[in-house]
């Protein structure tokens, strides 16, 4: 395993982390007696495999249902100093409730403290306010830190880049969990802001949210050769020194194996990546047209400033991925989350285009004439049954 200094925490962080949202039994709290023995055995085997590989950062959240309880049966069996344990609690208006929720996390984990504690899902201005206002959730986290129950404090986010940068620039956090990978590089300014303040940078879900790369379309496989899409994406992320660790949401012990191939390639990333990156860009241009590829994203309105709350940037992005790289299943899943995932994936689909007038909000876009018809085509291609977040399933 390779390790990187996790910013100001000074922790030696493995470049791969063991995320805890795919091996648990349920997305809701259940009684210990309800957890099947084979599920728990698989979870424990996954943790043992992670530790054997040097992946000693185990990351979970109160919102991951039975994950914390199940981890509490295995983590105390390891020498405590061998582990870097992270959990996350969502900020709420009542800071006392926030503390109570954390105490439940610690009880489930059967640990005296966690190394890393995230305010989970600072995704909009209201949640940021709940976090940083006097007497808010961040003050509670500081109290927990003073009591020795928390070593370092960070935040996780699915929010817009500007909001993430705003949270980072408070300089109140030691690290950030955020999305950034080849198909979605919008948050690079946030990573640079975190780097300037010497914060740790943890990438959320690069294989799932990064394109369902555990089941890639053949076109993407061909474009990424000789690497698998998963290894390509890992290498792309880790070739940037500002990135410290990638979360691997392992569901079973074998799920680490493909990622491990990345480690031997890191020193050669400058030679390996450019031809693959060139092929991916050339294919996007060949499929979508150079003018569109270079300009589609310019001067687009946010969903909050679009009639009907239509999330134009995200819909066009998904349309591009579906056409350029055949990421149709991925695009359909993400598209059908819209309107059903609150602040975790905000904005609406393009299913009511005939009820709105987009001309004014697109007046500054160089692609204003094309966008309404592409939105209509995207809905026709990607629309389907509503998709729920895993935690809502």
């Amino acid at each position: 395993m390779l390790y990187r200094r996790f910013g100001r925490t000074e922790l030696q962080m493995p470049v791969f982390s063991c995320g805890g949202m795919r091996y648990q039994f349920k997305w809701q709290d259940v009684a210990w007696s309800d957890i099947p023995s084979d599920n728990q055995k698989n979870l424990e085997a996954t943790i043992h495999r992670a530790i054997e590989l040097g992946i000693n950062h185990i990351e979970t959240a109160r919102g991951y249902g039975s994950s914390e309880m199940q981890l509490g049966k295995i983590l105390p069996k390891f020498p405590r100093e061998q582990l870097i344990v992270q959990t996350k609690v969502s900020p709420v208006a009542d800071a006392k409730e926030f503390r109570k929720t954390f105490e439940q996390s610690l009880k489930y984990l059967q640990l005296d403290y966690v190394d890393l504690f995230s305010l989970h899902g600072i995704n909009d201005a209201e949640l940021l306010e709940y976090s940083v206002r006097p007497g808010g959730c961040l003050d509670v986290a500081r109290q927990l830190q003073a009591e020795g129950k928390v070593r370092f404090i960070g935040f996780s986010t699915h929010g817009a880049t500007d909001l993430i940068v705003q949270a980072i620039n408070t300089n109140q956090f030691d690290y950030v969990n955020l999305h950034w990978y080849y198909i979605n590089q919008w948050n690079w300014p946030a990573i640079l802001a975190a780097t300037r303040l010497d914060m740790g940078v943890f990438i959320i879900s690069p294989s799932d949210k990064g394109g369902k790369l555990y089941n890639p379309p053949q076109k993407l496989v061909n474009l990424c050769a000789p690497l698998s899409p998963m290894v390509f994406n890992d290498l792309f992320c880790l070739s940037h020194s500002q990135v410290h660790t990638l979360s691997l949401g392992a569901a079973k012990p074998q799920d680490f194996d493909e990622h491990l191939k990345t480690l031997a390639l890191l020193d050669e990333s400058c030679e390996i990546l450019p031809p693959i990156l060139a092929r991916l860009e050339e294919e996007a241009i060949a499929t979508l047209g150079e003018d569109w590829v270079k300009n589609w994203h310019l001067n687009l309105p946010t969903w909050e400033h679009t009639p009907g709350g239509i999330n134009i940037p995200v819909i066009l992005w998904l349309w591009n991925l579906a056409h350029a790289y055949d990421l149709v299943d991925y695009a359909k899943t993400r598209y059908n989350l819209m309107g059903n995932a609150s602040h975790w994936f905000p904005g609406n689909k393009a299913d009511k285009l005939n009820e709105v007038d987009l001309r004014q909000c697109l007046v500054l876009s160089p692609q204003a004439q094309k966008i309404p018809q592409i939105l209509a085509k995207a809905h026709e291609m990607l629309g389907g049954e509503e998709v729920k977040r895993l935690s809502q399933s």
Side-chain angles (χ1 to χ4, degrees), residues 68-362:
E68 289 175 325
M69 178 195 294
Q70 293 184 257
L71 287 171
K73 301 295 183 178
I74 179 67
L75 295 186
K77 297 180 181 179
F78 294 95
R80 184 63 185 88
E81 67 279 3
Q82 187 179 356
L83 301 176
I84 300 171
V85 179
Q86 176 180 186
T87 198
K88 309 187 291 293
V89 172
S90 297
V92 290
D94 184 350
K96 291 180 180 178
E97 179 186 339
F98 177 79
R99 181 183 179 108
K100 183 178 179 181
T101 303
F102 171 80
E103 297 286 4
Q104 182 62 65
S105 288
L106 208 58
K107 181 179 178 181
Y108 275 142
L109 288 167
Q110 299 189 40
L111 299 174
D112 294 327
Y113 67 93
V114 292
D115 303 274
L116 301 170
F117 178 43
S118 281
L119 278 65
H120 191 194
I122 298 182
N123 299 334
D124 60 28
E126 181 178 58
L127 293 167
L128 179 58
E129 172 68 10
Y130 290 166
S131 302
V132 301
R133 67 188 180 189
C137 297
L138 184 57
D139 280 355
V140 170
R142 294 280 179 230
Q143 293 166 8
L144 293 167
Q145 192 176 41
E147 294 166 17
K149 296 177 179 178
V150 167
R151 292 184 65 197
F152 303 104
I153 299 166
F155 72 98
S156 70
T157 179
H158 293 219
T161 304
D162 288 350
L163 180 92
I164 302 172
V165 171
Q166 184 182 349
I168 287 169
N169 285 341
T170 65
N171 201 20
Q172 296 298 304
F173 299 98
D174 299 315
Y175 67 94
V176 59
N177 299 10
L178 79 175
H179 293 276
W180 185 81
Y181 19 79
Y182 177 72
I183 66 168
N184 179 355
Q185 299 176 45
W186 298 338
N187 283 337
W188 185 246
I191 292 177
L192 293 180
T195 301
R196 284 192 293 271
L197 293 175
D198 196 24
M199 290 170 59
V201 174
F202 170 109
I203 303 301
I204 301 169
S205 193
S207 297
D208 184 50
K209 305 303 187 295
K212 291 191 171 184
L213 300 180
Y214 39 79
N215 187 26
Q218 188 59 48
K219 184 176 186 180
L220 191 62
V221 171
N222 296 342
L223 289 168
C224 292
L227 307 182
S228 69
M230 186 179 286
V231 171
F232 158 72
N233 194 49
D234 288 350
L235 190 62
F236 172 80
C237 293
L238 291 174
S239 69
H240 296 77
S241 60
Q242 299 91 339
V243 170
H244 301 134
T245 187
L246 311 181
S247 179
L248 310 185
K252 56 186 184 301
Q254 297 82 0
D255 284 351
F256 299 108
D257 295 350
E258 184 67 16
H259 295 282
L260 296 176
K261 298 175 183 177
T262 310
L263 300 177
L265 304 175
L266 267 173
D267 288 343
E268 304 168 55
S269 61
C270 292
E271 291 77 41
I272 296 170
L273 288 175
I276 300 174
L277 293 168
R279 276 201 303 276
L280 288 163
E281 183 174 8
E282 288 164 5
E283 183 59 31
I285 289 171
T287 306
L288 301 167
E290 185 169 11
D291 182 52
W292 178 262
V293 168
K294 301 293 186 185
N295 298 304
W296 71 269
H297 61 285
L298 298 177
N299 300 326
L300 295 177
T302 63
W303 66 270
E304 300 101 323
H305 295 99
T306 302
I310 298 171
N311 198 330
I312 293 175
V314 166
I315 296 170
L316 297 181
W317 167 65
L318 294 173
W319 164 263
N320 293 343
L321 294 176
H323 278 271
Y325 306 131
D326 285 357
L327 285 167
V328 178
D329 287 344
Y330 171 80
K332 284 183 174 180
T333 299
R334 304 305 291 168
Y335 183 76
N336 291 295
L337 264 176
M338 284 192 283
N340 199 37
S342 67
H343 56 79
W344 294 96
F345 200 64
N348 292 321
K349 296 182 284 191
D351 55 340
K352 298 180 180 177
L353 279 176
N354 60 341
E355 300 176 15
V356 299
D357 184 348
L358 299 179
R359 286 176 294 183
Q360 186 58 41
C361 71
L362 290 174

